[in-house]
Amino acid sequence: MDAKKLVRDFYERIVSRNLWEELLHCIAENFAFVSGENKIPVGMEGMEEHLLAVKKTYPDYSMRIIRQYEDGGTVISEFIMQGTHSGEWLGIPPSHKTLSFTGVNVDAVSEGKITEHGGAVNTFETLFEHGLIAGVRDFR
């Protein structure tokens, strides 16, 4: 499976359908989260822990890849994530609203497995739109 297909399958099938037993087929043992220039090694267990934490807040969330680009084993994926806000998150109590977030993931793939993950999700726009946080004009 090529890198783009692997990453798409990971998010749209494995993550969206809670197929945790399949993580070992696509996440490298030396997996790391990337934040700017920092790499935080967490292994496959760290990725599973991260996904389970997100599922506590949005138990039915799913991801859909809109478009992807690949360059030398780095896959950039634009996505839409949608789920019901059923758990506390960032101090925001559950709203039980279905929320949609857009974002970009940057994943490195080597030897058929995802070795690094970073990216950004547009949380502010969605939380503001649904009245879950106050906007800048509300603080005056």
Side-chain angles (χ1 to χ4, degrees):
M1 184 179 311
D2 74 17
K4 287 195 309 187
K5 286 181 183 176
L6 171 71
V7 170
R8 180 181 296 272
D9 185 65
F10 173 68
Y11 291 113
E12 291 188 343
R13 191 178 65 80
I14 295 172
V15 171
S16 295
R17 296 181 190 164
N18 304 321
L19 302 175
W20 310 131
E21 67 280 359
E22 294 190 32
L23 287 178
L24 64 110
H25 300 297
C26 57
I27 300 297
E29 283 295 324
N30 63 341
F31 174 82
F33 285 115
V34 177
S35 177
E37 295 179 339
N38 299 316
K39 290 184 183 180
I40 306 156
V42 297
M44 186 176 55
E45 295 79 17
M47 174 54 106
E48 182 176 21
E49 189 176 305
H50 166 70
L51 294 171
L52 291 171
V54 175
K55 287 285 185 173
K56 282 183 182 177
T57 303
Y58 302 95
D60 61 347
Y61 95 84
S62 63
M63 293 182 69
R64 183 169 52 93
I65 304 296
I66 298 172
R67 65 184 138 213
Q68 291 181 300
Y69 303 94
E70 181 183 2
D71 182 27
T74 298
V75 179
I76 301 168
S77 305
E78 182 181 4
F79 65 86
I80 297 174
M81 180 193 101
Q82 183 173 324
T84 306
H85 179 213
S86 300
E88 183 175 320
W89 183 57
L90 300 173
I92 301 169
S95 67
H96 306 288
K97 295 179 179 182
T98 299
L99 304 178
S100 291
F101 299 92
T102 59
V104 175
N105 283 335
V106 180
D107 295 289
V109 176
S110 178
E111 298 179 15
K113 294 195 177 188
I114 299 170
T115 58
E116 296 177 0
H117 167 77
V121 179
N122 298 319
T123 55
F124 177 82
E125 294 87 349
T126 299
L127 297 177
F128 178 70
E129 174 186 335
H130 288 276
L132 302 175
I133 59 172
V136 174
R137 66 176 176 262
D138 296 331
F139 288 110
R140 291 186 199 166

